[in-house]
Amino acid sequence: MLPLQQFQDFIKQHQLFAKDDKILVAVSGGKDSVLMLHLFKAIGVNVGVAHCNFNLRADEAQRDENFVKMLAVSLDLPFYITHFDTKKYAAENKISTQMAARDLRYNWFEELRIKENYDYIALAQHQNDAIETILINLTRGTGISGLHGILPKRDKLIRPLLCLTRQQINEAIDNNNLDFVEDSSNLSTNYTRNKLRLQVIPHLQEINPNLEKTFAENIARFADVEEFLAIQVKKLSAKLLNKRGDGIYIPLDELLKLQPQKLLLFELLKPFGFSESTIEDISNSLKSLSGTHFFSASHQAIINRNDLVIVAKDSNEHFNQFIHPSTKNILFGKHEVKLSFSTEIKFEIDANKAFVNADKLIFPLVLRNWQNGDKFIPLGMRHPKKVSDFFIDEKVPLHLKSSTPILINGNGDLVWIAGMRQDNRYKLTTATKKVAIFELEKY
Amino acid sequence: MLPLQQFQDFIKQHQLFAKDDKILVAVSGGKDSVLMLHLFKAIGVNVGVAHCNFNLRADEAQRDENFVKMLAVSLDLPFYITHFDTKKYAAENKISTQMAARDLRYNWFEELRIKENYDYIALAQHQNDAIETILINLTRGTGISGLHGILPKRDKLIRPLLCLTRQQINEAIDNNNLDFVEDSSNLSTNYTRNKLRLQVIPHLQEINPNLEKTFAENIARFADVEEFLAIQVKKLSAKLLNKRGDGIYIPLDELLKLQPQKLLLFELLKPFGFSESTIEDISNSLKSLSGTHFFSASHQAIINRNDLVIVAKDSNEHFNQFIHPSTKNILFGKHEVKLSFSTEIKFEIDANKAFVNADKLIFPLVLRNWQNGDKFIPLGMRHPKKVSDFFIDEKVPLHLKSSTPILINGNGDLVWIAGMRQDNRYKLTTATKKVAIFELEKY
């Protein structure tokens, strides 16, 4: 007898798919996927069979492919096959063979699903796989999100075999005389999993013979806690993260109230890719001076007056930022430009400040990167000069060239190469009534 | 060199105690506790030494006691010793020797702490103990609260040695030539822990040589999630649990909105001792008919109109409950009594209902248990009868006698033995203008 009831109950309990959905079943030919295919067939679901040949173990891979094809034909099911040059893909992408195989198969399954109009992709992971995953995560280091094991449903992937243990699968295969191949392409059976499977979990089963059931219950509890945290963080994000212009502003006083602060800061900033140790730094720096900054691969976080401001790295270097008379400060890559006005006509000699004749400004001004063809009249000169030549004369290195903010007047004139030189046409004169002071801060 | 910096940093980080606090150090004589004592002494904390002789392995136990006493004397520290008849205590309380030893030592430490005026009790658990605890909890089944491992501080217990791994302790003992005894009284070394220590954890360390550090980080993350959940549940409790009279009322519509419902219901009802499976039943019954009820060892939960009502089992049987004209229903032990009024003069023959001449009622009425000396005139009779005699005639078993609600008029007359017989004086007559209908529901 096949464990049909368990299979159906689990599908229902986790709402894996609807009655008339079409399911693409990933079948390697091993016990797990073969049983899953028979279970789907037995309960009358509309399924197709997908098999990947990774060309990793030549003869065996061909044997597996033939076996799965015959199985699909004998069950009168559509059969889909693909062949990968896994090693080549791994070499090209500088990843392990295992990661390569994983990428390749998931991508192909999803393409196939869309092309052939299937609703879900079914993978044959079972309860023991889930236990192994949790122990691996714990051993390598994890938070609450590493404790839900393998989820029964995630996007278009479903795992209905999580209702069974490895032993139950073996028994079902034996009792029903189901044919299968020894799973040479079982890519999840790597060194770490094997160690846990053979050397660790048996000892835990001596302590608790119902380990699989216990872990399934653990997992359900942990998943609930994870869901609760996610719901609360979502609410908190909506409340605290304010998108303004190019940045996301988070009030520091609100962050200081969070409890536990590190956890919530981590969850709030997760979308921006900050590492745990950087989050810890940020958490310890919430009372620091304005200007303190932190980086992830994609973003920077800056303590800016009363806010923690998150800006995509460079994102704000690549398009124009408008400056209005009311603008007080504007973030630009790793820079911040501040604007103030004065009716006292004075100036300082400081490359990081520009004292501009405000009467000549046409708002909105624009702050942008240097563009090929930009020209200006350097302060003290009479003739226009190409900015590229100016950069060369000043020996400005390439990476600074592209990140230097350039201030442009509403009429298109270049007003200031921030941090370097302002334009002669906008300098203060005896006729100036009002001074616009631009100040560059570098982080 | 002793690992003083690590020890001090950990104490500071977890705010284990204040500078001038007196610490009672539990010393078995084994490596862990001996090192901890030396560390305390070296950083100049005011400590005393407490040793338990469990009389479990006669010669060895005496050897250990002598060793710890000499150690305390040589360090010029106060020494406290006690002797337990552990086996006798275990037999009397029907618990394992290990549980008995645990009970005895914790109780004695706390008594000693108070008597001798110490601030905290220091126990010598280390990082590997914490890993074992988590793996034991996972193997036996746990929620998030089973993942914080061993807490550095809980009430008056502190565990500063959690800053070190077993290997670091062994190294410190070796490098400093510290004397110790092989820990015959190490009661935590039971079958399960030994299995994990010797057969499981070494394999995990092959996967990750920094397992202790990784687990310490895991633990910190899990503890944060646990704290967050606790904070949110506390807020939720304050919002949803309304104490009214003898019961705690929780609006059903609010419970139905909770997400994830089972987790939050479990956390909200945790103080009342409901099992996880009962919580699951309650969660599935929130839309059930009024009157559906559930029990824990100490409490009952009842679906009551728009609320889930939690009442201490029997708590409301042992004092008077007042009934006002506005009272619609009142909980009484496993019973509920409902009150309504009618100007239509009619009645039914139903022991669970009393149709009472409302004109004669003097509010507030009282609902209470039977008391010795209670008399009434049974419906249809002319002469008073002792309630105790009535119970005997009706063959009411003892446990029902004490749980039967008795309705008493404001003038002291017995009006109704709920579920059995009403009083003749309060029956409906042709002169009755208004009927009070009392209805008994049993859970």
Side-chain angles (χ1 to χ4, degrees):
Chain A
M1 281 295 294
L2 290 167
L4 294 177
Q5 195 60 51
Q6 252 169 293
F7 192 67
Q8 282 177 305
D9 287 351
F10 188 83
I11 290 166
K12 198 174 161 194
Q13 186 194 342
H14 294 276
Q15 303 177 5
L16 296 190
F17 54 88
K19 197 169 159 288
D20 296 325
D21 284 346
K22 276 178 71 186
I23 313 291
L24 186 64
V25 184
V27 181
S28 68
K31 284 180 180 180
D32 307 344
S33 56
V34 164
L35 177 63
M36 181 168 73
L37 183 62
H38 284 290
L39 286 167
F40 270 121
K41 178 81 185 171
I43 64 172
V45 175
N46 191 350
V47 295
V49 175
H51 179 80
C52 304
N53 184 331
F54 295 101
N55 284 309
L56 287 173
R57 277 168 280 185
D59 291 353
E60 267 187 36
Q62 191 55 52
R63 179 205 64 179
D64 294 354
E65 178 182 331
N66 294 343
F67 170 79
V68 176
K69 187 173 180 178
M70 291 303 297
L71 179 62
V73 169
S74 74
L75 293 173
D76 201 19
L77 298 174
F79 176 69
Y80 310 95
I81 172 78
T82 193
H83 299 80
F84 297 122
D85 192 342
T86 311
K87 291 216 163 127
K88 189 178 161 206
Y89 181 90
E92 280 171 5
N93 292 278
K94 290 175 185 149
I95 53 178
S96 68
T97 310
Q98 201 182 334
M99 283 294 288
R102 199 190 129 94
D103 276 15
L104 289 166
R105 70 202 275 257
Y106 281 108
N107 289 341
W108 180 63
F109 288 152
E110 181 57 14
E111 280 168 23
L112 187 61
R113 186 189 71 76
I114 292 166
K115 186 172 150 233
E116 300 289 339
N117 210 18
Y118 284 89
D119 297 287
Y120 292 100
I121 299 155
L123 303 172
Q125 275 125 343
H126 52 67
Q127 286 184 8
N128 293 70
D129 290 326
I131 297 179
E132 288 159 23
T133 299
I134 290 176
L135 290 177
I136 288 173
N137 290 346
L138 273 175
T139 303
R140 291 185 179 158
T142 188
I144 185 77
S145 63
L147 297 179
H148 59 229
I150 303 168
L151 291 175
K153 186 173 189 173
R154 185 156 201 160
D155 302 325
K156 294 298 177 187
L157 299 175
I158 58 172
R159 295 174 170 99
L161 220 59
L162 282 174
C163 64
L164 299 177
T165 67
R166 178 176 294 118
Q167 198 187 335
Q168 288 170 329
I169 291 169
N170 288 340
E171 284 168 9
I173 290 281
D174 288 351
N175 294 342
N176 294 278
N177 282 315
L178 299 179
D179 210 7
F180 63 93
V181 288
E182 286 297 338
D183 213 344
S184 73
S185 65
N186 187 345
L187 290 140
S188 65
T189 316
N190 63 6
Y191 167 81
T192 303
R193 277 193 188 270
N194 256 329
K195 184 177 279 298
L196 291 170
R197 187 174 300 171
L198 302 174
Q199 300 180 307
V200 170
I201 292 170
H203 293 299
L204 303 183
Q205 282 166 327
E206 287 166 29
I207 297 170
N208 177 2
N210 289 314
L211 191 72
E212 291 93 344
K213 183 168 179 288
T214 298
F215 259 72
E217 291 164 358
N218 289 344
I219 288 170
R221 291 187 206 105
F222 300 148
D224 268 0
V225 174
E226 189 187 359
E227 186 189 347
F228 177 69
L229 180 63
I231 292 169
Q232 298 302 317
V233 168
K234 199 175 165 189
K235 283 186 197 167
L236 207 56
S237 281
K239 192 180 145 201
L240 298 189
L241 273 59
N242 309 302
K243 197 160 168 47
R244 290 208 299 268
D246 211 34
I248 291 165
Y249 289 69
I250 318 176
L252 288 173
D253 56 348
E254 295 287 345
L255 290 180
L256 283 164
K257 274 191 273 177
L258 294 180
Q259 205 186 352
Q261 193 186 84
K262 201 184 130 195
L263 170 74
L264 293 175
L265 204 54
F266 182 79
E267 296 293 332
L268 284 173
L269 300 188
K270 202 191 258 173
F272 311 112
F274 293 96
S275 72
E276 197 178 1
S277 65
T278 303
I279 300 284
E280 193 147 3
D281 288 345
I282 296 178
S283 173
N284 293 331
S285 309
L286 292 178
K287 290 178 180 171
S288 301
L289 282 180
S290 204
T292 312
H293 59 292
F294 312 87
F295 296 97
S296 74
S298 59
H299 285 77
Q300 56 179 317
I302 307 153
I303 307 278
N304 185 305
R305 293 191 181 71
N306 302 319
D307 294 293
L308 181 73
V309 184
I310 313 290
V311 204
K313 249 184 187 170
D314 309 331
S315 82
N316 53 0
E317 288 180 9
H318 294 304
F319 53 90
N320 299 341
Q321 302 215 56
F322 293 97
I323 298 178
H324 300 272
S326 61
T327 304
K328 298 256 180 292
N329 62 314
I330 192 152
L331 290 166
F332 188 86
K334 295 171 188 170
H335 304 281
E336 184 179 359
V337 173
K338 295 179 185 176
L339 170 59
S340 58
F341 292 96
S342 168
T343 50
E344 191 190 345
I345 313 304
K346 57 156 196 179
F347 74 100
E348 299 164 37
I349 299 182
D350 179 343
N352 287 322
K353 291 181 184 171
F355 294 82
V356 170
N357 185 348
D359 309 332
K360 289 186 137 186
L361 293 178
I362 301 162
F363 286 92
L365 315 177
V366 168
L367 203 64
R368 62 159 171 79
N369 292 103
W370 162 73
Q371 291 173 358
N372 213 345
D374 277 346
K375 286 180 187 171
F376 80 133
I377 303 176
L379 187 67
M381 306 275 184
R382 293 188 173 199
H383 301 294
K385 181 168 189 160
K386 279 191 180 171
V387 173
S388 53
D389 292 339
F390 175 78
F391 280 150
I392 291 166
D393 294 349
E394 297 281 320
K395 299 192 176 60
V396 175
L398 187 69
H399 74 279
L400 284 186
K401 239 163 85 172
S402 64
S403 67
T404 298
I406 310 267
L407 182 67
I408 307 289
N409 196 8
N411 62 6
D413 284 353
L414 195 159
V415 178
W416 184 36
I417 302 177
M420 296 184 190
R421 192 77 61 90
Q422 72 177 83
D423 191 284
N424 198 59
R425 291 165 289 182
Y426 291 85
K427 71 179 175 193
L428 307 187
T429 67
T430 49
T432 303
K433 300 266 187 297
K434 192 177 174 191
V435 186
I437 303 160
F438 296 89
E439 195 170 342
L440 176 73
E441 292 197 356
K442 290 180 194 169
Y443 294 133
Chain B
M1 282 296 294
L2 289 167
L4 294 177
Q5 195 60 50
Q6 251 170 296
F7 192 66
Q8 282 177 305
D9 288 350
F10 188 83
I11 289 166
K12 198 174 160 194
Q13 186 194 343
H14 293 277
Q15 303 177 4
L16 296 190
F17 55 87
K19 198 170 159 288
D20 296 326
D21 284 347
K22 279 179 68 186
I23 312 291
L24 186 64
V25 183
V27 181
S28 68
K31 285 180 181 179
D32 308 344
S33 56
V34 163
L35 177 64
M36 181 168 71
L37 183 62
H38 285 290
L39 287 167
F40 270 122
K41 179 78 183 172
I43 65 172
V45 176
N46 191 349
V47 295
V49 175
H51 179 80
C52 304
N53 183 331
F54 295 102
N55 283 309
L56 287 173
R57 277 169 277 185
D59 291 353
E60 265 186 37
Q62 191 55 53
R63 180 205 63 178
D64 293 356
E65 178 183 331
N66 295 344
F67 171 79
V68 176
K69 189 175 179 178
M70 291 303 296
L71 179 62
V73 169
S74 73
L75 293 172
D76 201 18
L77 298 173
F79 176 69
Y80 310 96
I81 173 78
T82 193
H83 299 81
F84 297 122
D85 191 343
T86 311
K87 291 218 162 125
K88 189 178 159 204
Y89 181 90
E92 280 172 5
N93 292 278
K94 289 175 185 149
I95 53 178
S96 69
T97 310
Q98 201 184 335
M99 283 294 288
R102 200 189 129 94
D103 277 14
L104 289 166
R105 70 201 275 256
Y106 280 108
N107 289 340
W108 180 64
F109 288 151
E110 181 60 12
E111 279 169 24
L112 188 60
R113 186 189 70 78
I114 293 166
K115 188 171 149 236
E116 300 288 340
N117 210 19
Y118 284 90
D119 297 288
Y120 292 100
I121 300 154
L123 303 172
Q125 276 126 342
H126 53 67
Q127 286 184 8
N128 294 69
D129 290 325
I131 297 179
E132 287 158 25
T133 299
I134 290 177
L135 290 177
I136 288 173
N137 290 346
L138 273 175
T139 303
R140 291 186 179 155
T142 188
I144 185 78
S145 63
L147 297 180
H148 59 230
I150 303 169
L151 292 174
K153 186 173 189 174
R154 184 156 204 159
D155 302 326
K156 295 298 175 184
L157 298 176
I158 59 172
R159 294 173 171 99
L161 220 59
L162 282 173
C163 63
L164 298 176
T165 67
R166 179 176 294 118
Q167 198 188 332
Q168 289 170 326
I169 291 169
N170 288 340
E171 285 168 7
I173 290 279
D174 288 352
N175 295 342
N176 295 278
N177 281 315
L178 299 179
D179 209 7
F180 63 93
V181 288
E182 285 296 338
D183 213 343
S184 73
S185 64
N186 187 346
L187 290 141
S188 66
T189 316
N190 63 8
Y191 167 81
T192 303
R193 276 192 188 271
N194 256 328
K195 183 177 278 300
L196 291 171
R197 186 173 303 171
L198 302 174
Q199 300 180 308
V200 171
I201 292 170
H203 293 300
L204 303 184
Q205 282 167 327
E206 288 166 28
I207 298 169
N208 177 2
N210 289 314
L211 191 71
E212 292 93 345
K213 183 166 178 290
T214 298
F215 259 73
E217 290 164 359
N218 289 343
I219 288 170
R221 291 187 206 104
F222 299 149
D224 268 0
V225 174
E226 189 187 358
E227 186 190 345
F228 177 69
L229 179 63
I231 292 169
Q232 298 301 318
V233 167
K234 200 175 164 189
K235 283 186 197 166
L236 207 56
S237 282
K239 191 179 146 201
L240 299 189
L241 274 59
N242 309 303
K243 196 160 169 49
R244 289 208 299 269
D246 211 34
I248 290 166
Y249 289 69
I250 317 175
L252 289 173
D253 56 349
E254 295 287 345
L255 289 180
L256 282 164
K257 273 190 274 178
L258 293 180
Q259 205 186 351
Q261 194 185 83
K262 202 183 129 196
L263 169 74
L264 293 175
L265 204 54
F266 182 78
E267 296 293 332
L268 283 173
L269 300 188
K270 202 192 256 175
F272 312 113
F274 293 96
S275 71
E276 197 177 0
S277 65
T278 304
I279 300 284
E280 192 146 5
D281 288 345
I282 295 177
S283 174
N284 293 331
S285 307
L286 292 178
K287 291 180 178 168
S288 301
L289 282 181
S290 206
T292 311
H293 59 292
F294 311 87
F295 295 96
S296 75
S298 59
H299 286 76
Q300 54 180 317
I302 307 152
I303 306 279
N304 186 303
R305 291 190 181 72
N306 302 320
D307 293 293
L308 180 73
V309 184
I310 313 289
V311 203
K313 253 181 184 171
D314 309 331
S315 82
N316 53 1
E317 286 181 9
H318 295 304
F319 52 90
N320 299 341
Q321 302 215 56
F322 292 97
I323 298 179
H324 301 271
S326 61
T327 304
K328 298 259 182 288
N329 62 314
I330 192 153
L331 290 165
F332 189 85
K334 295 174 187 169
H335 304 282
E336 185 181 0
V337 173
K338 295 180 185 175
L339 169 60
S340 59
F341 292 96
S342 168
T343 49
E344 192 190 346
I345 312 305
K346 57 154 197 182
F347 74 99
E348 300 163 37
I349 298 180
D350 179 344
N352 286 323
K353 292 182 184 171
F355 294 82
V356 170
N357 186 345
D359 308 333
K360 287 184 139 190
L361 292 178
I362 302 163
F363 285 93
L365 314 178
V366 167
L367 202 64
R368 62 161 171 80
N369 291 105
W370 163 71
Q371 290 173 357
N372 212 345
D374 278 346
K375 284 180 189 173
F376 80 133
I377 303 175
L379 188 67
M381 306 279 184
R382 293 191 174 196
H383 300 294
K385 182 168 188 160
K386 279 191 178 170
V387 173
S388 54
D389 291 340
F390 174 78
F391 280 151
I392 290 167
D393 294 350
E394 297 280 321
K395 299 189 176 62
V396 177
L398 186 70
H399 74 276
L400 284 186
K401 240 162 84 172
S402 64
S403 68
T404 298
I406 309 267
L407 182 66
I408 306 290
N409 197 8
N411 62 6
D413 285 354
L414 195 159
V415 178
W416 183 36
I417 301 177
M420 295 185 189
R421 193 76 61 87
Q422 72 177 84
D423 189 285
N424 200 58
R425 290 166 290 181
Y426 290 85
K427 71 180 175 192
L428 308 186
T429 68
T430 49
T432 303
K433 299 268 189 295
K434 192 177 173 190
V435 186
I437 303 160
F438 296 90
E439 196 170 340
L440 177 73
E441 291 195 358
K442 290 179 195 172
Y443 293 135

